[in-house]
Amino acid sequence: MRGSRLGHGAFFGDYRERRHAGDLALAELRPTVPEHDVHTHTHEDAHFLLLLDGAYLSTARGMPEVCTTRALVLNPPGTTHRDCFRGLDGRFFTLSIPTAAWRTATEHRTLTQEALRLHASALVLATRLWHELRHWDGASPLAIQGGLELLLDAAAQPRASEHDGPPWLERAREQLHDEWRRTPDLAELANTAGVHPVYLARAFRRRYGCSPGEYLRRCRMERAISLLHDRRIALAEIAATCGFVDQSHFTHAFRRQHRCTPAQYRALG
């Protein structure tokens, strides 16, 4: 297995579901190779990997050393790694994109050249594609192809969490990210950054593609999505924890952004 090259739609695991939508390959798998037997290998084609269950070890940027929560990774063509499961109790969904299709996608978008964990909004899109695999019908290939375009668009969006802005702007962004439960005013953020509020607002939008208020909403929504995977937490509690006025406000915001309700998304998993 050392130095293996994996072709289109090929992974180390037991294929529980497997379908094709045109030249796209979809699968739900369980790990079958122990961690110590997984060596460095290369994936010839691009693929999304959605971690459903288990403890996953990945070198993708943004992933923890061991990930035990729902997560989505995009691996571009030629990714070389030894990502694997710790133990054989796990599940994962994959959507493989042939190199020619990836090249076409990059003609219209700027996509990553390195393995990368995607944000929670993309996680919702990928979960819907996994659900399509599990409930396949005659319209599923079209749904998959359209869903992939949305997923690629989400993957190409500027990531406001990248730590390569100027230090003063990063200080303001980090305050919003770390203190997402409360709402500072623009003057407070500007004081944190050490610049004028108007200058901060303009620089923030140029760098991160959104206003400070929009970024704060994204932080709260990302936190809410992560909490939805714990079915022990009531929707009303998630809404209160994540700064929404009430459950109705949370449901409306979630539906507007993700085209389904929090309850519907939770039911997919």
Side-chain angles (χ1 to χ4, degrees):
M1 196 179 299
R2 189 182 302 276
S4 299
R5 293 191 66 84
L6 302 182
H8 183 54
F11 298 90
F12 301 130
D14 173 27
Y15 288 79
R16 312 307 296 268
E17 297 278 350
R18 197 171 189 178
R19 296 278 187 175
H20 286 83
D23 55 3
L24 305 174
L26 302 91
E28 180 184 330
L29 305 96
R30 292 187 179 275
T32 55
V33 182
E35 177 185 348
H36 61 270
D37 285 338
V38 177
H39 301 292
T40 300
H41 55 277
T42 300
H43 293 272
E44 294 179 354
D45 289 344
H47 68 271
F48 290 93
L49 184 146
L50 174 63
L51 174 63
L52 300 170
D53 299 299
Y56 192 65
L57 288 73
S58 174
T59 55
R61 181 156 61 91
M63 286 286 276
E65 183 176 351
V66 180
C67 186
T68 57
T69 60
R70 181 95 31 117
L72 177 65
V73 171
L74 172 56
N75 291 310
T79 294
T80 298
H81 60 200
R82 64 175 302 268
D83 290 12
C84 60
F85 280 83
R86 176 156 291 169
L88 300 182
D89 293 327
R91 289 184 305 154
F92 61 109
F93 164 74
T94 60
L95 173 56
S96 299
I97 309 164
T99 302
W102 177 264
R103 283 198 299 266
T104 299
T106 59
E107 291 174 0
H108 306 286
R109 313 169 179 85
T110 300
L111 293 167
T112 182
Q113 299 300 309
E114 61 175 334
L116 175 69
R117 181 179 185 175
L118 299 182
H119 50 81
S121 294
L123 182 64
V124 174
L125 293 169
T127 300
R128 289 165 62 181
L129 294 179
W130 166 58
H131 188 260
E132 193 70 46
L133 170 66
R134 301 194 68 190
H135 299 82
W136 199 266
D137 62 25
S140 290
L142 181 59
I144 293 296
Q145 291 164 351
L148 173 62
E149 292 302 316
L150 295 175
L151 190 54
L152 289 168
D153 286 343
Q157 290 175 359
R159 288 178 55 85
S161 60
E162 291 178 346
H163 300 277
D164 56 0
W168 60 268
L169 191 55
E170 272 296 294
R171 288 196 298 272
R173 187 202 63 79
E174 287 174 357
Q175 179 175 339
L176 290 170
H177 184 270
D178 296 341
E179 301 177 18
W180 53 268
R181 288 182 175 85
R182 70 182 192 89
T183 305
D185 58 28
L186 190 60
E188 179 185 340
L189 288 175
N191 184 62
T192 296
V195 298
H196 191 277
V198 174
Y199 184 70
L200 170 68
R202 291 174 178 171
F204 198 99
R205 181 173 291 279
R206 282 197 305 269
R207 172 64 188 85
Y208 301 121
C210 62
S211 70
E214 290 167 338
Y215 179 68
L216 180 60
R217 287 195 179 102
R218 291 182 188 178
C219 290
R220 290 174 172 173
M221 184 62 75
E222 298 238 335
R223 180 60 179 166
I225 291 170
S226 67
L227 292 176
L228 282 171
H229 299 140
D230 187 342
R231 295 175 180 273
R232 297 170 298 180
I233 307 176
L235 295 180
E237 183 179 349
I238 293 175
T241 297
C242 296
F244 296 93
V245 174
D246 52 27
Q247 183 177 333
S248 177
H249 177 217
F250 173 41
T251 296
H252 179 73
F254 196 97
R255 183 191 291 116
R256 184 175 63 246
Q257 182 171 341
H258 300 295
R259 300 192 300 173
C260 65
T261 68
Q264 289 168 336
Y265 173 64
R266 174 174 270 179
L268 296 179

